[in-house]
Amino acid sequence: MNNNTLVETIARLIKSPKGILAMDESLNTCNRRFSDLGVSQTEEKRREYRELLITTPSLEKYISGCILFDETIRQSTLKGKSFTSVLTEKGIEIGIKVDQGLEDYIGHPAEKITNGLEGLERRLSEYKKLGATFAKWRAVFKIGEKTPSDDCIRENAEFLARYALLCQTEDIVPIVEPEVLMEGAHSQEKCYEVTARSLDAVFSELKKLDVFMPGVILKTNMVLAGKDAKEKSSPEEVAKMTLKCLTESVPRDIGGIVFLSGGQSDEDATKNLNAMHNSGPLPWPLTFSYARAIQNQALKYWAENPADIKGAQDLLINAARNNSEASIGKYKK
Ligand code: 13P
């Protein structure tokens, strides 16, 4: 394990005013999004779409790293150039989703546990050879009357910590992602409480395993009222509660913090990030790692106009630019 390598990778990943493009949708998720838009769910279509994303001109101006899925990290452009070399030539870091998805958490109806520790060492060393410098593991917590349970939070946190340690052993930066889902009608206060509980558990497990904190990126949800809540939180409220929660639960020496968009509208995800950067100096680097809030428009356009790649890429770069501006508090609608 080389701490300098981890710190240097993070410095490139959180270089202002850039953020991370998450394009690591699993086969199921990617196919579901395609199916909703009437796109056929084939390996070739997924390849074609991902080629469109990574070959977007000037992507590197706003995007420092792309998180890929196992299928994608092995794919190439139509002309035969590997996706990894396309990204490397643009100076974009290669990330890889290494968890293997969600499973029912036995004895805890409606809760999920994230799997993927089995064989992880071997997979990490293969991904490293393919050019990956960072990785991602996502745990999910759904807010319900009795969920998430302490058991579910603790066990997912233990897995995240073991994953993080294995990544660092391979000199791969771990993104640890405990996501509190937006689904539901819960209040912003409830989201705050659950986010704080999950972050506290994650950092306590990371500490137990002596994971090198400046070599870790936290990927987290913003602290928001649920999607179906009667009252929506304003960007200022989101910024205030999210920063309070992060300040109380995240160690100061963490390498960086990035947000998922979590089903917020594109505009909300951008405005909320922007508001955080207008709240005074922050103790850690803070930027975006969005999938939907960057891809939504481009994917929809491409589904309807498959021959107009440039049109879809223009929408993608526009969303990336908006979030880049938000990452320095300079976004204007
Ligand atoms: P969204 O921005 O669509 O929430 O996805 C981010 C992500 O990578 C979830 O793991």
Side-chain angles (χ1 to χ4, degrees):
M1 173 164 141
N2 184 337
N3 289 352
N4 286 341
T5 306
L6 298 170
V7 168
E8 283 162 16
T9 301
I10 293 189
R12 293 192 298 275
L13 276 172
I14 52 166
K15 192 159 180 245
S16 189
K18 299 189 192 186
I20 297 173
L21 170 60
M23 45 177 284
D24 59 319
E25 297 84 2
S26 63
L27 295 186
N28 284 345
T29 305
C30 189
N31 286 344
R32 198 171 56 243
R33 301 216 170 125
F34 278 14
S35 153
D36 288 347
L37 294 166
V39 176
S40 56
Q41 297 113 65
T42 62
E43 181 173 348
E44 176 50 21
K45 270 289 173 194
R46 293 190 296 272
R47 191 206 62 73
E48 203 182 312
Y49 174 60
R50 263 78 182 246
E51 173 171 350
L52 176 162
L53 298 179
I54 63 164
T55 57
T56 296
S58 300
L59 190 66
E60 65 280 11
K61 258 175 96 174
Y62 311 115
I63 298 295
S64 56
C66 286
I67 314 175
L68 309 179
F69 182 63
D70 182 75
E71 176 181 81
T72 323
I73 200 170
R74 304 167 195 285
Q75 286 175 324
S76 301
T77 64
L78 196 58
K79 289 192 179 147
K81 187 169 188 168
S82 70
F83 282 3
T84 52
S85 42
V86 172
L87 292 171
T88 305
E89 279 174 23
K90 285 174 178 270
I92 295 178
E93 299 292 310
I94 297 162
I96 180 77
K97 171 189 173 74
V98 299
D99 69 70
Q100 295 186 313
L102 308 175
E103 271 190 13
D104 290 341
Y105 185 37
I106 308 213
H108 293 260
E111 297 202 272
K112 300 283 179 194
I113 197 91
T114 304
N115 273 320
L117 285 176
E118 208 181 309
L120 181 57
E121 264 174 288
R122 180 188 45 75
R123 282 185 285 125
L124 284 170
S125 89
E126 189 200 355
Y127 290 138
K128 187 175 171 179
K129 288 193 194 106
L130 289 169
T133 56
F134 71 107
K136 178 187 116 172
W137 179 294
R138 170 176 175 258
V140 296
F141 302 115
K142 186 163 167 16
I143 297 182
E145 238 174 74
K146 294 199 176 132
T147 63
S149 63
D150 286 341
D151 285 349
C152 181
I153 290 183
R154 196 198 56 252
E155 198 156 329
N156 271 305
E158 282 172 10
F159 285 10
L160 275 166
R162 280 158 66 188
Y163 139 82
L165 190 63
L166 288 175
C167 285
Q168 291 194 337
T169 309
E170 284 288 345
D171 298 333
I172 290 178
V173 169
I175 294 188
V176 297
E177 182 181 10
E179 172 176 4
V180 177
L181 297 172
M182 257 183 99
E183 276 72 42
H186 51 267
S187 64
Q188 190 189 24
E189 288 70 27
K190 180 71 186 173
C191 178
Y192 182 100
E193 177 217 311
V194 173
T195 304
R197 261 170 74 209
S198 66
L199 291 178
D200 291 345
V202 168
F203 287 107
S204 145
E205 295 302 326
L206 289 171
K207 207 166 162 211
K208 269 192 212 160
L209 295 194
D210 210 13
V211 173
F212 175 59
M213 206 47 66
V216 171
I217 293 181
L218 169 71
K219 177 158 173 168
T220 184
N221 52 284
M222 296 181 187
V223 175
L224 308 160
K227 246 185 167 151
D228 306 324
K230 284 200 194 84
E231 282 193 37
K232 190 178 155 185
S233 328
S234 71
E236 290 67 34
E237 284 164 345
V238 174
K240 187 170 159 220
M241 295 288 270
T242 305
L243 293 176
K244 180 170 164 11
C245 188
L246 296 176
T247 306
E248 282 171 9
S249 296
V250 180
R252 289 287 186 281
D253 61 344
I254 192 157
I257 304 179
V258 295
F259 289 110
L260 56 100
S261 57
Q264 300 180 64
S265 73
D266 303 356
E267 182 72 11
D268 284 352
T270 307
K271 277 176 150 168
N272 290 339
L273 177 63
N274 194 62
M276 292 191 219
H277 282 279
N278 282 311
S279 309
L282 303 172
W284 358 249
L286 186 76
T287 187
F288 60 91
S289 173
Y290 297 157
R292 280 165 289 180
I294 295 186
Q295 294 183 43
N296 276 338
Q297 302 290 326
L299 174 59
K300 189 162 179 289
Y301 184 87
W302 173 74
E304 288 162 4
N305 309 273
D308 184 8
I309 300 295
K310 181 174 178 310
Q313 290 181 330
D314 285 348
L315 291 166
L316 187 85
I317 205 75
N318 199 34
R321 186 190 309 111
N322 287 343
N323 287 301
S324 159
E325 287 169 3
S327 77
I328 48 170
K330 295 246 153 62
Y331 173 68
K332 303 257 178 314
K333 190 173 170 19

